[in-house]
């Protein structure tokens, strides 16, 4: 069984997906929906923090999983959608490393820009 990554979303404090990468082919409608789901994940994280004081790190759906890393200092949420078979530890490790590198690269620039093209150079850092 081939385990694989599906989609990476990086969401800023306003719920805007500032970076998006898909490793699987998607039509434009699915891509638009995935970009909108960034706000949903941000809301889930906010509600979890308010009610439990914890940030969800891993969510399993019917056919895939989501690993989440939230950086409270810069208020950036990194979401990696991947195969369930990859497991929570592997998904979390990848998500933490991607988040760390993204924040290090763009921290001076900031994360609340509407010009999401400003982050496109990060595509070169990913396979």
């Amino acid at each position: 069984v081939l385990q694989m990554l599906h989609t990476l979303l990086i969401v800023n404090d306003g719920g805007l997906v500032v970076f998006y990468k898909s490793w699987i082919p998607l039509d434009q409608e699915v891509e638009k929906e995935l970009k909108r789901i960034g706000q949903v994940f941000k809301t889930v994280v906010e509600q979890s923090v308010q009610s439990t004081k914890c940030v969800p790190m891993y969510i399993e759906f019917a056919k895939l999983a989501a690993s989440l890393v939230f950086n409270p200092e810069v208020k950036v949420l990194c979401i990696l959608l991947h195969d369930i078979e990859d497991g929570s530890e592997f998904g979390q490790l990848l998500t933490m490393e991607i988040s760390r590198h993204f924040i290090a690269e763009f921290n001076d620039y900031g994360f609340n820009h509407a010009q999401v093209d400003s982050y496109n150079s990060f595509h070169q850092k990913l396979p």
Side-chain angles (χ1 to χ4, degrees), residues 16-19 113-120:
L16 177 69
V17 174
V18 296
F19 184 81
H113 300 281
Q115 292 287 74
V116 295
D117 292 346
S118 305
Y119 306 100
N120 277 346

Side-chain angles (χ1 to χ4, degrees), residues 3 12 16 33 51 62-63 67 70 84 97 102-103 118:
Q3 287 122 15
N12 71 9
L16 177 69
E33 288 301 314
S51 61
K63 295 186 178 180
S67 292
F70 178 68
I84 292 172
E97 285 301 307
F102 185 83
I103 290 167
S118 305

Side-chain angles (χ1 to χ4, degrees), residues 4-11 17 19-27 30-38 41 64-68 77-83 86 91 94-95 98 123 126:
M4 60 189 282
L5 307 177
H6 292 258
T7 306
L8 171 70
L9 303 166
I10 299 180
V11 182
V17 174
F19 184 81
Y20 168 85
K21 164 97 176 159
S22 182
W23 287 273
I24 57 173
L26 300 171
D27 65 41
V30 173
E31 190 173 315
K32 285 180 187 177
E33 288 301 314
L34 278 172
K35 288 180 181 178
R36 286 188 202 122
I37 207 166
F41 277 107
L64 67 128
S67 292
L68 299 92
L77 175 63
C78 185
I79 306 151
L80 181 63
L81 302 175
H82 56 88
D83 284 350
D86 292 334
L94 287 176
T95 309
I98 291 168
H123 281 280
L126 300 170

Side-chain angles (χ1 to χ4, degrees), residues 28-95:
Q28 287 185 337
E29 283 304 309
V30 173
E31 190 173 315
K32 285 180 187 177
E33 288 301 314
L34 278 172
K35 288 180 181 178
R36 286 188 202 122
I37 207 166
Q39 179 65 47
V40 174
F41 277 107
K42 181 183 177 297
T43 302
V44 167
V45 168
E46 288 173 347
Q47 292 297 316
S48 295
V49 168
Q50 285 179 357
S51 61
T52 67
K53 307 291 186 243
C54 296
V55 175
M57 298 172 60
Y58 181 78
I59 302 170
E60 269 188 23
F61 300 100
K63 295 186 178 180
L64 67 128
S67 292
L68 299 92
V69 170
F70 178 68
N71 184 308
E73 292 175 19
V74 295
K75 297 185 173 142
V76 167
L77 175 63
C78 185
I79 306 151
L80 181 63
L81 302 175
H82 56 88
D83 284 350
I84 292 172
E85 292 82 14
D86 292 334
S88 62
E89 290 179 13
F90 182 66
Q92 194 65 31
L93 174 66
L94 287 176
T95 309

